[in-house]
Amino acid sequence: MQVPILKQGAYLIATVQSALTDEDLKQLRDALVGQVSKVRARGVIVDVTALDVIDSFATRTLRDVAHMIRLRGAETVIVGIQPEVAFSMVKLGLTLAGVSTSLDLEEGLAYLNRKG
Amino acid sequence: MGSALIGDEIRVSIDCDAAIVTARQKGRALASQCGFPSTDLAVIATAISELARNIVRYAVHGEIILRLLDDNGKRGVEVVAVDEGPGIPDLALAMQDGYSTSGGLGLGLPGTRRLMDEFEIVSDFGKGTTVTVRRWKR
C-alpha cells in the first residue's frame, strides 16, 4: 500500500491510508527524503491517523524519516497518533524522542508555519 | 493453567513482513469479538506485531497462534509465537531493554512483556523459540 505524498505550498503531506508493512514504511521513508530535495520542501507532515498500530519498526522508521529530513534542512512533524496507539507505544518503551508531533493535520500545519 | 479454549484457534503462517500485518489484524479482530476495549485491542495488536517480526527477523519462518480463553468466566486472548529458528542463546540478555542482535531497538521482547498480563518464553538454542502471552479482559 503506497502512501500518497501531496505538495502544499512549501510542505509535503504524506497521509497514511491503511496498515503499512515494513516494506511500505521503508518506501515511504525513501520517497519523503527524495521528494524533500526535489521540490525544495521546508516541512513534511506525516499523518498517521489511520494507523491502529505503531510498533518498534514503524517508530524507528518514522524517527529516521524525521532525522534524515532534518539533515536535509527541513522540519518533520508526525500528526494523528491515536490515544490507544500512544498508550501501546509508551508501554512498549517507544518515545519518538527528538521528533515533533502534533494532534492533527491542522495543528501540524500551524506548527510548521510557526517554525517558518 | 485451568483456562478453557473458546472456539477454534486461528493460525497465521509468518514468512514475510506482510504476514506480520495479517497476524495483528486477525488478533485484533479476535479480541474485538471477545469485547476487549479499544486500548486493549491496540495493545494486543502491537504485541502480536513485535512477536511476528521477531519470527521474520530471526527465524525466517514460523507461526502465530491466536486463541480465546475462558478462566472461570474471565475472558482472555492468548498469542503463541512459534518458530524453529536458531533459538536465543541468552534469554536474560534478550529480555533486557535495548539489547538487539539485529540492529533493532531491542524493545520487542521486554516491551511485549510490559504490554501483556502474562508472558512465557521457551527457547532451545538451535531448535527454536516459543513465546506465549496472554491478556485478560478487565
Side-chain angles (χ1 to χ4, degrees):
Chain A
M1 177 60 69
Q2 279 226 342
V3 178
I5 300 172
L6 298 175
K7 184 175 183 296
Q8 185 168 329
Y11 306 141
L12 288 176
I13 302 174
T15 308
V16 178
Q17 319 264 358
S18 63
L20 300 177
T21 64
D22 295 2
E23 201 50 48
D24 297 332
L25 279 160
K26 285 190 235 167
Q27 269 180 24
L28 174 64
R29 177 195 64 200
D30 297 349
L32 281 174
V33 176
Q35 287 275 320
V36 160
S37 342
K38 210 179 284 172
V39 307
R40 306 185 73 83
R42 285 191 291 111
V44 172
I45 293 179
V46 183
D47 187 346
V48 297
T49 307
L51 290 184
D52 63 354
V53 170
I54 300 182
D55 62 6
S56 59
F57 186 84
T59 301
R60 185 162 63 129
T61 310
L62 290 173
R63 200 184 61 190
D64 288 353
V65 166
H67 292 171
M68 286 171 187
I69 286 171
R70 185 166 300 147
L71 290 171
R72 299 290 298 148
E75 275 298 314
T76 301
V77 54
I78 310 293
V79 307
I81 296 178
Q82 295 302 297
E84 60 272 20
V85 173
F87 179 88
S88 305
M89 287 173 73
V90 170
K91 279 272 193 180
L92 196 58
L94 303 168
T95 56
L96 272 178
V99 179
S100 303
T101 53
S102 289
L103 186 63
D104 55 20
L105 187 56
E106 195 181 335
E107 292 286 333
L109 282 166
Y111 173 84
L112 288 178
N113 284 330
R114 280 199 303 277
K115 283 257 163 182
Chain B
M1 214 166 63
S3 46
L5 179 65
I6 312 169
D8 293 330
E9 63 185 26
I10 298 170
R11 289 175 168 259
V12 185
S13 174
I14 305 294
D15 51 7
C16 62
D17 67 348
I20 300 172
V21 176
T22 307
R24 72 183 185 222
Q25 285 173 343
K26 289 196 172 174
R28 167 183 279 271
L30 188 72
S32 165
Q33 186 189 315
C34 176
F36 273 98
S38 66
T39 302
D40 286 28
L41 299 183
V43 161
I44 292 163
T46 305
I48 294 171
S49 205
E50 295 299 327
L51 294 176
R53 180 166 297 96
N54 278 351
I55 293 177
V56 175
R57 189 172 289 159
Y58 298 105
V60 184
H61 180 262
E63 204 172 26
I64 294 279
I65 304 158
L66 305 161
R67 300 179 177 123
L68 282 185
L69 303 177
D70 181 296
D71 183 5
N72 295 315
K74 193 169 67 164
R75 293 286 178 102
V77 164
E78 179 176 80
V79 180
V80 187
V82 196
D83 69 61
E84 291 176 0
I88 302 172
D90 188 336
L91 269 181
L93 204 53
M95 290 308 298
Q96 276 179 25
D97 270 332
Y99 178 80
S100 175
T101 57
S102 70
L105 295 175
L107 292 171
L109 287 177
T112 301
R113 179 158 69 178
R114 281 191 294 272
L115 283 171
M116 303 298 272
D117 295 321
E118 290 172 34
F119 180 102
E120 290 153 25
I121 183 164
V122 179
S123 191
D124 274 331
F125 191 47
K127 285 187 184 159
T129 302
T130 301
V131 184
T132 305
V133 294
R134 294 180 202 96
R135 185 150 176 112
W136 298 100
K137 213 171 124 185
R138 303 292 183 280

